[in-house]
Amino acid sequence: ILVKAGQRLVGIASSGPHSNGYSLIRRILTRAQADLASEIGGQTLGDALMAPTRLYVKPVLSLLADLPIAAMAHITGGGLTENIIRVVPDGLGLHINGSAWPEPPVFVWLMQAGAVARSEMWRTFNCGIGFVLVLPEESVADAIARLAAQGLPAWDIGQVVEHAGEGERVRID
């Protein structure tokens, strides 16, 4: 199965920052003189920042057996803007709806406490999406339901689009 225009992006929830952006996180903590015991989204800031990285292998393997997944991307260093596009051929781009999923409070805190521009947040952090599947539109609902049954929230976060070669290949609105 090849990646082509019109396919959808299914984003699977992250458990937190995973292991990315910690140089920036340390600077924000220092600058904000943050109290790691303070409450954020029902847990301490320290726990939110140090949540163990969610593993996607078993849930994704179960989907690969039955669904026509064209590509996958683990959202690591480079965030949403640099990771997904690596599996997309030239001539195509991505249009991501940045409000398609609830942004975890820890990322809201980092953006506000660090006065981090939204574009830098997208480039540095997973912002709540730890893994992305590229698949046909008709498979999206099935993928999301199967992931939910395994305890993984997932959302239709955007699509693969034609890209004429001008401007950025990834657009996040």
Side-chain angles (χ1 to χ4, degrees):
I1 300 166
L2 300 174
V3 174
K4 54 188 173 187
Q7 290 174 329
R8 304 298 302 178
L9 307 174
V10 170
I12 306 172
S14 70
S15 55
H18 290 176
S19 57
N20 302 106
Y22 279 89
S23 294
L24 178 56
I25 290 171
R26 281 191 300 276
R27 285 196 304 272
I28 293 169
L29 289 171
T30 300
R31 217 176 301 148
Q33 297 180 337
D35 176 4
L36 293 176
S38 62
E39 190 273 334
I40 181 166
Q43 60 184 330
T44 68
L45 176 59
D47 287 344
L49 290 170
M50 297 304 292
T53 298
R54 176 170 279 151
L55 302 178
Y56 302 96
V57 176
K58 289 181 182 178
V60 171
L61 282 174
S62 73
L63 296 179
L64 281 170
D66 301 320
L67 296 178
I69 296 172
M72 302 174 284
H74 191 226
I75 309 307
T76 58
L80 291 165
T81 58
E82 295 178 9
N83 283 282
I84 310 166
I85 199 66
R86 293 176 185 155
V87 300
V88 176
D90 290 340
L92 298 173
L94 302 171
H95 182 198
I96 298 172
N97 175 0
S99 60
W101 68 95
E103 189 170 23
V106 69
F107 296 108
V108 175
W109 184 88
L110 287 166
M111 187 168 81
Q112 292 172 348
V116 180
R118 172 55 71 187
S119 59
E120 182 65 14
M121 291 295 295
W122 295 133
R123 193 187 69 73
T124 303
F125 299 109
N126 65 54
C127 295
I129 299 295
F131 201 89
V132 175
L133 306 172
V134 180
L135 67 170
E137 185 169 5
E138 59 272 11
S139 299
V140 168
D142 192 13
I144 290 172
R146 288 173 182 226
L147 290 161
Q150 296 181 68
L152 287 174
W155 305 271
D156 180 344
I157 66 166
Q159 68 180 337
V160 179
V161 295
E162 297 285 344
H163 184 265
E166 296 179 20
E168 295 294 322
R169 290 178 62 205
V170 179
R171 188 175 99 214
I172 304 177
D173 296 330

